[in-house]
Amino acid sequence: CGEFLGEFGDDLAVRAAVSATLGALLAMQARFDEARAAYDESVALHERLGLKVRRLAFALSGSEIALLAGDPDAAERELRFAYEGLEEIGESGVRAVVSAALADVLLVEGRDEEALAFARTAAGLAEPEDLAAQAMHRATRARVLVHTGDPAAAEDPALEAVELAEPTDFLALQAAAVLALADVREAQGREDEAAALLRRALELYERKGNLVAAGRLAETLAGPAPAA
C-alpha cells in the first residue's frame, strides 16, 4: 500500500482505494488512530469524486477497523449504511459480502435472529463463484445455530465454509471458517478438536499479520488467568 501511495498517490481514485485497505491493515497492528485517519481520507475522497459504489464497498474496511478496535456498534453502522446504499441502487454482488459481514457483527452483539436473517440474505444474493460470500454466510449460519442450541445442524455449513475457503489465499476468510467449525466442535463436546482448530486459526492470523486477532485468540487458548 505504501508503494502504491508513493507511486500513484496523486491519482485521487487510487489514493481513495488504497487508503481504505491501508486503514484495515494498520488496524490489524493496533495502530487505530492511523487506521481511522487513513479510512477517513478514503471516505472523503470517494465522496469528493462521486464514487458512490466504491465508497459503499470499502465500508467493509471501515467495519473491520471498528471490530478490531472493539467497537461492534460502529461496525454495524458502517455495514448498514453500505447495505442500504447498495440495496437502493440494486447492486447484489458486493451486497452479498456486506450482508455476510453484517450477520457476523450482529452475532458478536448477541442478536442471533437478525444475524441469521442477514446470513440468509447473503446466501440468496451470493453468486456461486463468489467464494468469500459463500463461505462467510455458511460460517455465520453455523455459529448462529450453535448459539441457538443446534450444533448438529451447524456442522454441514461449518464444514462447507472450511472447504470453500481452504483453496483460496484469503487468510482472514480461512480463519473465520475454521473458527466457526471450532465453535461447532466445542458445542459437540469435542474439546481437543476445537482447540486444534483454534490453533489453526491463530496460525492463519499470524501469517496474515493480524496481530490484534491473533492476540485475542492466544488469550482464549491460554484460558483464564489463575486467581491471585
Side-chain angles (χ1 to χ4, degrees), residues 79-228:
L79 290 169
R80 283 194 183 275
F81 168 79
Y83 180 88
E84 291 166 4
L86 293 166
E87 184 179 39
E88 183 180 340
I89 62 176
E91 198 282 338
S92 60
V94 178
R95 188 156 54 102
V97 179
V98 169
S99 300
L102 183 52
D104 204 46
V105 171
L106 291 166
L107 190 61
V108 169
E109 295 179 310
R111 292 152 63 184
D112 293 349
E113 291 304 316
E114 290 178 80
L116 185 57
F118 273 101
R120 287 170 174 160
T121 297
L125 292 171
E127 297 292 337
E129 67 274 11
D130 188 344
L131 295 182
Q134 293 286 354
M136 286 171 67
H137 81 73
R138 284 174 168 82
T140 301
R141 182 155 53 93
R143 292 176 62 209
V144 171
L145 288 167
V146 167
H147 286 198
T148 54
D150 195 354
E155 178 151 358
D156 282 349
L159 289 170
E160 289 167 7
V162 171
E163 183 179 355
L164 286 164
E166 185 64 32
T168 75
D169 60 0
F170 192 168
L171 299 179
L173 182 67
Q174 292 180 27
V178 167
L179 287 172
L181 185 56
D183 281 355
V184 173
R185 292 292 179 249
E186 183 176 2
Q188 294 171 335
R190 296 157 69 174
E191 288 85 359
D192 289 346
E193 292 178 55
L197 288 163
L198 291 178
R199 290 192 293 272
R200 168 64 175 153
L202 175 59
E203 186 266 335
L204 289 165
Y205 282 136
E206 289 174 340
R207 282 176 56 198
K208 177 63 181 175
N210 191 334
L211 306 183
V212 175
R216 291 173 182 169
L217 198 48
E219 289 179 4
T220 298
L221 282 164

